[in-house]
Amino acid sequence: MDKMTDEQLIDRVRQGHSDAYRVLVERHKSYIYTLVYRMAPHKETAEDLTQEVFVKLFRSLAHFRGDAKFTTWLYRMTTNLVTDFRRSQKRKPYEALLDKMKGWFTDAREQPEEMAMLKDEQERMQALLSELPDKYRLIMYLFHYKQLSYQEMSEVTGLPMKTLETRLYRGKAMLKEKWLEVNADDSQRSGRHSAHAIPK
């Protein structure tokens, strides 16, 4: 059963074979949890939402027509569910969310010393990413981290490619502006500290 395609497993689930559904969940559980955690990076929340995704999946399999790839369909279902959850949270106090997009700004070929030097910059970049509006963060995640094409992003989000291009461009511009502001502030503080340290 592990060698069956997603579509074959779905057919078996529709026929009442619960084992096929368990295989389907195991196949995509890690992938979906990672996506949820990128959008709502709180461990317990991500686990709960992941379970909710698969409950909704089981109830929705009858509506899967195969017009798009199963993974694309599941991806869209997940992003919609998490987006709805985050909208509901805006009406109540909630901890600040931080996108931990590991791998965006690191190179596996870096030596340990160089990786250590980059740690502070990585943390700053992750914090700045968390400040971007959701609509820009999601597109940047799909494009840079998941490396989806514009066509795939359009299928996942339901947005036209022109809108995706605009959001990606603006997201990058906003991130660059924030990055320059932070580094400029740090440089000014360092300059003031150095000036105070120099005897007159």
Side-chain angles (χ1 to χ4, degrees), residues 7 27 30 32 41-43 64-65 79-81 91 93 99 103 107-108 111 115-116 121 129 133 157 165 168 186 195:
E7 289 71 21
R27 182 177 294 178
S30 176
I32 293 303
H42 183 271
K43 185 175 182 294
F64 177 66
R65 300 188 302 273
T79 56
N80 287 343
L81 187 148
R91 293 191 290 270
D99 274 357
D107 189 330
Q111 297 301 315
M115 292 295 290
E121 289 189 357
L129 284 167
T157 63
E165 291 175 358
L168 185 61
D186 286 350

Side-chain angles (χ1 to χ4, degrees), residues 136-151:
Y136 298 124
R137 283 204 299 164
L138 176 59
I139 300 306
M140 292 184 71
Y141 168 72
L142 295 177
F143 184 78
H144 289 288
Y145 187 81
K146 298 306 295 183
Q147 298 184 338
L148 297 187
S149 66
Y150 280 101
Q151 180 61 44

Side-chain angles (χ1 to χ4, degrees), residues 49-64:
L49 289 175
T50 299
Q51 290 183 350
E52 189 173 340
V53 167
F54 285 107
V55 169
K56 185 173 182 179
L57 172 65
F58 183 79
R59 294 171 177 170
S60 304
L61 281 179
H63 304 296
F64 177 66

Side-chain angles (χ1 to χ4, degrees), residues 4 6-7 26-27 39 68 70 81 109 117 131 187:
M4 288 184 174
D6 290 338
E7 289 71 21
E26 286 300 316
R27 182 177 294 178
M39 298 178 68
F70 171 72
L81 187 148
R109 296 170 297 180
M117 292 176 63
E131 297 175 6
S187 296

Side-chain angles (χ1 to χ4, degrees), residues 20-187:
Y21 184 69
R22 282 195 287 271
V23 172
L24 201 62
V25 171
E26 286 300 316
R27 182 177 294 178
H28 298 286
K29 181 172 62 177
S30 176
Y31 174 80
I32 293 303
Y33 175 80
T34 300
L35 172 59
V36 173
Y37 190 73
R38 298 299 181 186
M39 298 178 68
H42 183 271
K43 185 175 182 294
E44 289 75 15
T45 300
E47 290 174 348
D48 290 344
L49 289 175
T50 299
Q51 290 183 350
E52 189 173 340
V53 167
F54 285 107
V55 169
K56 185 173 182 179
L57 172 65
F58 183 79
R59 294 171 177 170
S60 304
L61 281 179
H63 304 296
F64 177 66
R65 300 188 302 273
D67 296 336
K69 289 193 304 183
F70 171 72
T71 50
T72 299
W73 185 72
L74 178 58
Y75 213 106
R76 180 183 295 180
M77 178 188 297
T78 302
T79 56
N80 287 343
L81 187 148
V82 179
T83 297
D84 289 344
F85 167 78
R86 295 191 61 176
R87 284 173 180 164
S88 71
Q89 294 302 302
K90 289 181 180 179
R91 293 191 290 270
K92 61 184 77 170
Y94 200 69
E95 64 268 21
L97 298 180
L98 173 65
D99 274 357
K100 300 176 181 178
M101 299 181 180
K102 298 177 181 178
W104 276 38
F105 310 101
T106 61
D107 189 330
R109 296 170 297 180
E110 297 283 2
Q111 297 301 315
E113 295 82 3
E114 295 170 316
M115 292 295 290
M117 292 176 63
L118 288 173
K119 182 178 179 180
D120 183 59
E121 289 189 357
Q122 292 173 18
E123 292 176 350
R124 291 186 185 188
M125 185 62 75
Q126 290 164 6
L128 294 177
L129 284 167
S130 73
E131 297 175 6
L132 295 183
D134 290 350
K135 63 182 181 180
Y136 298 124
R137 283 204 299 164
L138 176 59
I139 300 306
M140 292 184 71
Y141 168 72
L142 295 177
F143 184 78
H144 289 288
Y145 187 81
K146 298 306 295 183
Q147 298 184 338
L148 297 187
S149 66
Y150 280 101
Q151 180 61 44
E152 290 171 325
M153 288 194 295
S154 180
E155 293 175 357
V156 168
T157 63
L159 296 172
M161 283 187 274
K162 189 64 177 178
T163 300
L164 294 173
E165 291 175 358
T166 300
R167 290 189 181 181
L168 185 61
Y169 174 81
R170 290 179 179 172
K172 287 180 178 179
M174 293 170 67
L175 188 62
K176 181 179 180 180
E177 183 178 352
K178 288 178 179 292
W179 177 259
L180 292 175
E181 287 177 357
V182 169
N183 282 278
D185 290 343
D186 286 350
S187 296

